Amino acid sequence: MEDTRWLALCGDDPGLFACRLRDLLGLAIHLRLAGWLGLAAALLAFVWPGRMGGWLAVVALVFAVPALVLYNATLASFALVLAGLRLVR
């Protein structure tokens, strides 16, 4: 699953920037951060009129597509549908 070099490197010195970044990415995946951000942006885009709503829909897509890949299909699919509906409106 994970490369043993990362485990050895972060086990020896967990304060390295790469290890901190790896930890934060793991925490963001665990907390489903991309899905929640995509859903929040999609909901804002759906109610915000004009071009700003369109840009928020694009931001929602930017967060929702990676969330689909990172095991967060429940929130991301809803955000993807809302953002898509906002873009075609």
Side-chain angles (χ1 to χ4, degrees), residues 33-51:
L33 190 63
W36 284 112
L37 288 173
L39 184 59
L43 287 171
L44 281 175
F46 204 72
V47 297
W48 202 303
R51 291 186 80 138

PDB file of all heavy atoms in Angstrom, residues 33-51:
ATOM      1  N   LEU A  33     -12.603  16.427   3.668  1.00  0.00           N
ATOM      2  CA  LEU A  33     -12.551  17.874   3.491  1.00  0.00           C
ATOM      3  C   LEU A  33     -12.893  18.305   2.064  1.00  0.00           C
ATOM      4  O   LEU A  33     -13.630  19.271   1.872  1.00  0.00           O
ATOM      5  CB  LEU A  33     -11.157  18.385   3.880  1.00  0.00           C
ATOM      6  CG  LEU A  33     -10.985  19.876   3.973  1.00  0.00           C
ATOM      7  CD1 LEU A  33     -11.874  20.441   5.072  1.00  0.00           C
ATOM      8  CD2 LEU A  33      -9.548  20.230   4.237  1.00  0.00           C
ATOM      9  N   ALA A  34     -12.393  17.600   1.068  1.00  0.00           N
ATOM     10  CA  ALA A  34     -12.657  17.993  -0.322  1.00  0.00           C
ATOM     11  C   ALA A  34     -14.147  17.885  -0.646  1.00  0.00           C
ATOM     12  O   ALA A  34     -14.705  18.735  -1.343  1.00  0.00           O
ATOM     13  CB  ALA A  34     -11.836  17.132  -1.282  1.00  0.00           C
ATOM     14  N   GLY A  35     -14.787  16.857  -0.133  1.00  0.00           N
ATOM     15  CA  GLY A  35     -16.221  16.700  -0.371  1.00  0.00           C
ATOM     16  C   GLY A  35     -17.037  17.792   0.281  1.00  0.00           C
ATOM     17  O   GLY A  35     -17.977  18.329  -0.315  1.00  0.00           O
ATOM     18  N   TRP A  36     -16.695  18.122   1.526  1.00  0.00           N
ATOM     19  CA  TRP A  36     -17.419  19.191   2.227  1.00  0.00           C
ATOM     20  C   TRP A  36     -17.194  20.543   1.566  1.00  0.00           C
ATOM     21  O   TRP A  36     -18.137  21.338   1.436  1.00  0.00           O
ATOM     22  CB  TRP A  36     -17.012  19.251   3.692  1.00  0.00           C
ATOM     23  CG  TRP A  36     -17.617  18.161   4.514  1.00  0.00           C
ATOM     24  CD1 TRP A  36     -16.972  17.124   5.107  1.00  0.00           C
ATOM     25  CD2 TRP A  36     -19.002  18.007   4.838  1.00  0.00           C
ATOM     26  NE1 TRP A  36     -17.872  16.329   5.759  1.00  0.00           N
ATOM     27  CE2 TRP A  36     -19.120  16.841   5.621  1.00  0.00           C
ATOM     28  CE3 TRP A  36     -20.148  18.723   4.527  1.00  0.00           C
ATOM     29  CZ2 TRP A  36     -20.346  16.398   6.097  1.00  0.00           C
ATOM     30  CZ3 TRP A  36     -21.365  18.274   5.007  1.00  0.00           C
ATOM     31  CH2 TRP A  36     -21.458  17.125   5.780  1.00  0.00           C
ATOM     32  N   LEU A  37     -15.958  20.823   1.142  1.00  0.00           N
ATOM     33  CA  LEU A  37     -15.689  22.096   0.463  1.00  0.00           C
ATOM     34  C   LEU A  37     -16.405  22.164  -0.881  1.00  0.00           C
ATOM     35  O   LEU A  37     -16.941  23.217  -1.257  1.00  0.00           O
ATOM     36  CB  LEU A  37     -14.186  22.291   0.278  1.00  0.00           C
ATOM     37  CG  LEU A  37     -13.394  22.599   1.536  1.00  0.00           C
ATOM     38  CD1 LEU A  37     -11.905  22.606   1.233  1.00  0.00           C
ATOM     39  CD2 LEU A  37     -13.825  23.914   2.140  1.00  0.00           C
ATOM     40  N   GLY A  38     -16.422  21.065  -1.603  1.00  0.00           N
ATOM     41  CA  GLY A  38     -17.140  21.028  -2.873  1.00  0.00           C
ATOM     42  C   GLY A  38     -18.630  21.223  -2.688  1.00  0.00           C
ATOM     43  O   GLY A  38     -19.271  21.950  -3.445  1.00  0.00           O
ATOM     44  N   LEU A  39     -19.183  20.581  -1.659  1.00  0.00           N
ATOM     45  CA  LEU A  39     -20.613  20.728  -1.399  1.00  0.00           C
ATOM     46  C   LEU A  39     -20.955  22.151  -0.966  1.00  0.00           C
ATOM     47  O   LEU A  39     -21.954  22.720  -1.416  1.00  0.00           O
ATOM     48  CB  LEU A  39     -21.054  19.727  -0.333  1.00  0.00           C
ATOM     49  CG  LEU A  39     -22.537  19.683  -0.024  1.00  0.00           C
ATOM     50  CD1 LEU A  39     -23.330  19.337  -1.267  1.00  0.00           C
ATOM     51  CD2 LEU A  39     -22.803  18.682   1.079  1.00  0.00           C
ATOM     52  N   ALA A  40     -20.129  22.737  -0.112  1.00  0.00           N
ATOM     53  CA  ALA A  40     -20.373  24.116   0.327  1.00  0.00           C
ATOM     54  C   ALA A  40     -20.300  25.082  -0.855  1.00  0.00           C
ATOM     55  O   ALA A  40     -21.156  25.969  -1.001  1.00  0.00           O
ATOM     56  CB  ALA A  40     -19.374  24.514   1.399  1.00  0.00           C
ATOM     57  N   ALA A  41     -19.296  24.915  -1.701  1.00  0.00           N
ATOM     58  CA  ALA A  41     -19.170  25.790  -2.867  1.00  0.00           C
ATOM     59  C   ALA A  41     -20.323  25.584  -3.844  1.00  0.00           C
ATOM     60  O   ALA A  41     -20.824  26.542  -4.437  1.00  0.00           O
ATOM     61  CB  ALA A  41     -17.835  25.542  -3.563  1.00  0.00           C
ATOM     62  N   ALA A  42     -20.769  24.340  -3.999  1.00  0.00           N
ATOM     63  CA  ALA A  42     -21.886  24.069  -4.912  1.00  0.00           C
ATOM     64  C   ALA A  42     -23.190  24.674  -4.393  1.00  0.00           C
ATOM     65  O   ALA A  42     -23.987  25.205  -5.169  1.00  0.00           O
ATOM     66  CB  ALA A  42     -22.042  22.568  -5.116  1.00  0.00           C
ATOM     67  N   LEU A  43     -23.411  24.581  -3.084  1.00  0.00           N
ATOM     68  CA  LEU A  43     -24.620  25.185  -2.521  1.00  0.00           C
ATOM     69  C   LEU A  43     -24.594  26.706  -2.649  1.00  0.00           C
ATOM     70  O   LEU A  43     -25.610  27.319  -2.980  1.00  0.00           O
ATOM     71  CB  LEU A  43     -24.773  24.777  -1.057  1.00  0.00           C
ATOM     72  CG  LEU A  43     -25.204  23.333  -0.813  1.00  0.00           C
ATOM     73  CD1 LEU A  43     -25.115  22.999   0.664  1.00  0.00           C
ATOM     74  CD2 LEU A  43     -26.592  23.087  -1.355  1.00  0.00           C
ATOM     75  N   LEU A  44     -23.435  27.307  -2.388  1.00  0.00           N
ATOM     76  CA  LEU A  44     -23.315  28.756  -2.576  1.00  0.00           C
ATOM     77  C   LEU A  44     -23.509  29.142  -4.042  1.00  0.00           C
ATOM     78  O   LEU A  44     -24.160  30.143  -4.351  1.00  0.00           O
ATOM     79  CB  LEU A  44     -21.962  29.244  -2.081  1.00  0.00           C
ATOM     80  CG  LEU A  44     -21.815  29.417  -0.583  1.00  0.00           C
ATOM     81  CD1 LEU A  44     -20.372  29.778  -0.245  1.00  0.00           C
ATOM     82  CD2 LEU A  44     -22.750  30.498  -0.083  1.00  0.00           C
ATOM     83  N   ALA A  45     -22.934  28.358  -4.934  1.00  0.00           N
ATOM     84  CA  ALA A  45     -23.062  28.654  -6.363  1.00  0.00           C
ATOM     85  C   ALA A  45     -24.495  28.541  -6.832  1.00  0.00           C
ATOM     86  O   ALA A  45     -24.930  29.282  -7.710  1.00  0.00           O
ATOM     87  CB  ALA A  45     -22.169  27.709  -7.167  1.00  0.00           C
ATOM     88  N   PHE A  46     -25.236  27.616  -6.241  1.00  0.00           N
ATOM     89  CA  PHE A  46     -26.618  27.395  -6.667  1.00  0.00           C
ATOM     90  C   PHE A  46     -27.521  28.571  -6.314  1.00  0.00           C
ATOM     91  O   PHE A  46     -28.477  28.862  -7.016  1.00  0.00           O
ATOM     92  CB  PHE A  46     -27.148  26.105  -6.052  1.00  0.00           C
ATOM     93  CG  PHE A  46     -28.265  25.501  -6.817  1.00  0.00           C
ATOM     94  CD1 PHE A  46     -28.032  24.890  -8.030  1.00  0.00           C
ATOM     95  CD2 PHE A  46     -29.559  25.558  -6.348  1.00  0.00           C
ATOM     96  CE1 PHE A  46     -29.054  24.329  -8.761  1.00  0.00           C
ATOM     97  CE2 PHE A  46     -30.601  25.007  -7.060  1.00  0.00           C
ATOM     98  CZ  PHE A  46     -30.346  24.390  -8.271  1.00  0.00           C
ATOM     99  N   VAL A  47     -27.207  29.264  -5.215  1.00  0.00           N
ATOM    100  CA  VAL A  47     -28.063  30.383  -4.805  1.00  0.00           C
ATOM    101  C   VAL A  47     -27.486  31.743  -5.183  1.00  0.00           C
ATOM    102  O   VAL A  47     -28.189  32.741  -5.107  1.00  0.00           O
ATOM    103  CB  VAL A  47     -28.343  30.337  -3.280  1.00  0.00           C
ATOM    104  CG1 VAL A  47     -29.098  29.084  -2.930  1.00  0.00           C
ATOM    105  CG2 VAL A  47     -27.073  30.448  -2.473  1.00  0.00           C
ATOM    106  N   TRP A  48     -26.219  31.797  -5.568  1.00  0.00           N
ATOM    107  CA  TRP A  48     -25.590  33.073  -5.899  1.00  0.00           C
ATOM    108  C   TRP A  48     -25.873  33.411  -7.362  1.00  0.00           C
ATOM    109  O   TRP A  48     -25.534  32.650  -8.261  1.00  0.00           O
ATOM    110  CB  TRP A  48     -24.091  32.972  -5.695  1.00  0.00           C
ATOM    111  CG  TRP A  48     -23.417  34.288  -5.502  1.00  0.00           C
ATOM    112  CD1 TRP A  48     -23.438  35.345  -6.334  1.00  0.00           C
ATOM    113  CD2 TRP A  48     -22.615  34.659  -4.392  1.00  0.00           C
ATOM    114  NE1 TRP A  48     -22.700  36.364  -5.836  1.00  0.00           N
ATOM    115  CE2 TRP A  48     -22.183  35.968  -4.633  1.00  0.00           C
ATOM    116  CE3 TRP A  48     -22.223  34.036  -3.234  1.00  0.00           C
ATOM    117  CZ2 TRP A  48     -21.365  36.646  -3.747  1.00  0.00           C
ATOM    118  CZ3 TRP A  48     -21.408  34.716  -2.367  1.00  0.00           C
ATOM    119  CH2 TRP A  48     -20.991  36.009  -2.604  1.00  0.00           C
ATOM    120  N   PRO A  49     -26.447  34.569  -7.651  1.00  0.00           N
ATOM    121  CA  PRO A  49     -26.756  34.914  -9.044  1.00  0.00           C
ATOM    122  C   PRO A  49     -25.526  35.437  -9.792  1.00  0.00           C
ATOM    123  O   PRO A  49     -24.544  35.873  -9.196  1.00  0.00           O
ATOM    124  CB  PRO A  49     -27.804  36.010  -8.901  1.00  0.00           C
ATOM    125  CG  PRO A  49     -27.495  36.652  -7.598  1.00  0.00           C
ATOM    126  CD  PRO A  49     -26.953  35.570  -6.708  1.00  0.00           C
ATOM    127  N   GLY A  50     -25.614  35.382 -11.080  1.00  0.00           N
ATOM    128  CA  GLY A  50     -24.607  36.003 -11.925  1.00  0.00           C
ATOM    129  C   GLY A  50     -23.374  35.157 -12.149  1.00  0.00           C
ATOM    130  O   GLY A  50     -23.347  33.954 -11.951  1.00  0.00           O
ATOM    131  N   ARG A  51     -22.324  35.864 -12.575  1.00  0.00           N
ATOM    132  CA  ARG A  51     -21.069  35.203 -12.920  1.00  0.00           C
ATOM    133  C   ARG A  51     -20.367  34.621 -11.706  1.00  0.00           C
ATOM    134  O   ARG A  51     -19.666  33.616 -11.813  1.00  0.00           O
ATOM    135  CB  ARG A  51     -20.139  36.189 -13.608  1.00  0.00           C
ATOM    136  CG  ARG A  51     -20.628  36.597 -14.977  1.00  0.00           C
ATOM    137  CD  ARG A  51     -19.602  37.427 -15.634  1.00  0.00           C
ATOM    138  NE  ARG A  51     -18.580  36.538 -16.175  1.00  0.00           N
ATOM    139  CZ  ARG A  51     -18.025  36.687 -17.344  1.00  0.00           C
ATOM    140  NH1 ARG A  51     -18.366  37.703 -18.090  1.00  0.00           N
ATOM    141  NH2 ARG A  51     -17.131  35.856 -17.768  1.00  0.00           N
TER     142      ARG A  51
END
